[in-house]
Amino acid sequence: MSYHTDSDRLDAHARQAWALSELLIDHFGGQEEHNVMSDEIMSGLMENISEHLKKIQEINAGQEVQS
């Protein structure tokens, strides 16, 4: 995916991290009946969030981000 500006890149990564965190909250937010995700799926989602947050930090620091 190509971005025109750092702001576009920040926005894209922030939106992805937000969407993934909302998914985790909705399905693991302490409501027993909604806790249907396996540990592997939750772990994968958290790793993905972490990757997006790392890219946001790199952009903010002015570093080159590898996609």
Side-chain angles (χ1 to χ4, degrees):
M1 185 178 292
S2 64
Y3 305 103
H4 298 290
T5 65
D6 282 348
S7 180
D8 291 340
R9 291 170 38 197
L10 283 170
D11 185 57
H13 289 296
R15 287 178 187 272
Q16 287 297 316
W18 180 266
L20 292 167
S21 65
E22 286 289 313
L23 181 63
L24 279 171
I25 291 168
D26 286 347
H27 290 281
F28 194 67
Q31 298 179 2
E32 297 281 332
E33 65 274 4
H34 290 221
N35 188 4
V36 296
M37 281 191 210
S38 72
D39 289 343
E40 289 178 17
I41 293 172
M42 285 189 290
S43 176
L45 289 173
M46 289 187 283
E47 286 177 19
N48 199 296
I49 291 170
S50 178
E51 290 172 15
H52 285 291
L53 294 176
K54 180 181 176 195
K55 288 181 182 183
I56 289 169
Q57 290 175 332
E58 290 171 350
I59 293 167
N60 282 332
Q63 299 175 355
E64 186 67 29
V65 177
Q66 297 176 354
S67 299

